[in-house]
Amino acid sequence: MPNSMKVKAEECFDTAEVILIVMDRHQKVRAINQTGCDVLGYSREEIIDKNWFDNFLPLKDKEQIRNYFLGIVDGSKQIVERYVNSVLCRDGSERIISWRAKKIMKNGIFDHTVSSGMDITEDVEAQDEILKFKLCIDTINDIISIKDINRKFTYVNPKFIEFFGRSLSDYIGKTKTEAFGTPYNSDDEADESALLGDTRQYNNISNRNGEDVYLHITKYPIKNSNGTIIGILMNARDFTDSVKSEKNLMEITRNLENRNKDLEDFADFACHDLQEPTRKIKIYSDQLIDRIEQGELDKEYLTEKIKKINNAAQRMQSLLGGLLELSSISMHIEESIFSKVDLNKVFNDVLSDLEIKIDRSGATINISKNMPTIRANESQIRQLFQNIISNSIKFSKKETKPIIDISFELNEYLSSCVIMIRDNGIGFDQKLADKIFLPFRRLNNAKDYPGSGIGLSICRKIINRHCGEINVRSETSHGSVFMVTLPIKQEREWYNAL
């Protein structure tokens, strides 16, 4: 070989970033490059002609590797393409080297080996740390996964498998899109942030067995000892129970507020509505006593006063009966269970229940087709619309047949529907709209329009229980429009889980 080429070869040998070493059949080092010297911590002169196995391998490994080398020398063993072992450094530490070796023969006889080695100590130690970490997180209750820098899963813990289902092989070596088929979203944005060295926290809602599950997710960058990012750690904590507890508390608070409002209504009713018949009974009784004491009681006067006392007693009895009915219905509403309710079926059932009333009044009822299906308590929703439609028939104009139009609108953004019930009845002053939903509040003469006065109060209670709204627009002699807003899906069905 010309001197210039030899010099270049020596330069390449010495500047290679991997360890290069030549060892003869007697296990002695014949050549080693600067990288090898740097790893071992010796000068070249301290290494050349030294027995490799005796001087530079840990005691635990040297005999096994020496025997393998001797087998290569005598031809009883084949050299492997790649192998890994530790080397002993000057300071007593060990480095882990991944080797590639080539056997050189002369005249059919083994002469020496040329080996190249890469120091993989940091990578192995990082893998050991990851393994220890995996053993630890296998036992915790959070959902854990690890991805490499290509965003492919390298590990998922048992809780991950339990939560998302399927088997380990469905995730390992695959990206999120390959594993779940989901498009780019906030989860991918968090991965990008982690690969840039940032930690990201966010909340996510997943659907599991048809129910919403709330997860608090944190994405961390995984770094090796050199600070290089080598992966992404995800920790997801299920806080659905906390959300449900908060919703339960909100629902309980809302129910207490409703109960307090009921108590206020009942107290107001006791102070005003019940006092009227009680006062009349007292007045008429006092008048009778006065006549009896004066000896001026005649049959006609007695009959008149007794009739008035009887009417007042009947009025009180009616009020108390309505109060008991309203209280009983309130209790049943609070204990209700929700399910899927087809409003087409509900209105068909209501018309069937009101068939006689409709026939007698000659009412025409027009109902839009393709009413939505909502999540509600079917019997309560039926009572709600039956009360409203029954009122529309009752409060119709004399000598004018009732016409009732029922339509709906969907609000997809709010996931709700508005049912509108429009009639051509007597209507009322819009200023009184809030009062008609109070118990026992009448806007018309009880003789002309008999009833307990609790129908619309029950409607309001049902609406409150369904987290909806009920409003009315009206004008005297020009009919009314009741607008009932109901959620498509109930968010506060906490009582189903109790």
Side-chain angles (χ1 to χ4, degrees), residues 136-332:
C136 174
I137 61 179
D138 271 353
T139 61
I140 67 176
N141 204 37
D142 287 355
I143 300 165
I144 306 290
S145 71
I146 296 175
K147 297 177 184 176
D148 61 21
I149 58 174
N150 297 314
R151 304 189 192 184
K152 293 185 177 182
F153 289 105
T154 59
Y155 170 80
V156 295
N157 74 336
K159 190 67 179 179
F160 186 103
I161 299 293
E162 177 189 334
F163 185 86
F164 291 108
R166 296 184 287 180
S167 63
L168 189 65
S169 60
D170 291 315
Y171 302 106
I172 301 303
K174 297 179 180 178
T175 64
K176 185 204 74 173
T177 301
E178 291 169 340
F180 293 102
T182 52
Y184 185 93
N185 56 24
S186 58
D187 187 67
D188 299 279
E189 293 176 2
D191 281 353
E192 289 180 359
S193 295
L195 291 175
L196 292 173
D198 296 326
T199 297
R200 279 280 298 274
Q201 297 187 46
Y202 57 100
N203 292 334
N204 191 22
I205 303 177
S206 297
N207 191 276
R208 186 183 183 194
N209 300 324
E211 294 186 2
D212 288 339
V213 177
Y214 295 81
L215 298 176
H216 179 72
I217 300 173
T218 307
K219 295 284 185 77
Y220 305 89
I222 301 175
K223 301 178 181 180
N224 63 14
S225 59
N226 294 325
T228 302
I229 295 173
I230 60 174
I232 305 164
L233 169 67
M234 181 206 75
N235 178 289
R237 180 161 295 175
D238 185 344
F239 67 104
T240 306
D241 289 343
S242 298
V243 173
K244 285 183 177 179
S245 296
E246 185 176 348
K247 287 185 176 181
N248 291 353
L249 182 59
M250 291 173 60
E251 183 68 14
I252 291 170
T253 302
R254 193 175 69 92
N255 287 337
L256 287 174
E257 290 174 351
N258 289 339
R259 295 278 179 98
N260 287 336
K261 183 65 172 61
D262 289 343
L263 289 174
E264 290 176 8
D265 291 343
F266 292 160
D268 184 63
F269 162 75
C271 290
H272 298 89
D273 296 67
L274 278 178
Q275 284 198 23
E276 178 200 352
T278 304
R279 183 177 57 81
K280 286 181 177 179
I281 291 172
K282 177 71 168 59
I283 290 172
Y284 297 144
S285 299
D286 288 345
Q287 290 174 351
L288 280 174
I289 292 171
D290 288 343
R291 283 295 184 99
I292 291 171
E293 289 177 347
Q294 296 171 11
E296 299 177 357
L297 185 65
D298 60 71
K299 183 177 180 181
E300 183 179 348
Y301 185 84
L302 177 63
T303 301
E304 177 192 355
K305 296 302 179 182
I306 289 176
K307 283 182 178 180
K308 289 182 177 181
I309 290 172
N310 186 57
N311 289 338
Q314 287 180 349
R315 172 63 178 158
M316 180 180 287
Q317 186 177 30
S318 174
L319 289 172
L320 290 173
L323 182 63
L324 290 173
E325 182 182 357
L326 184 61
S327 176
S328 174
I329 288 171
S330 297
M331 186 67 69
H332 290 312

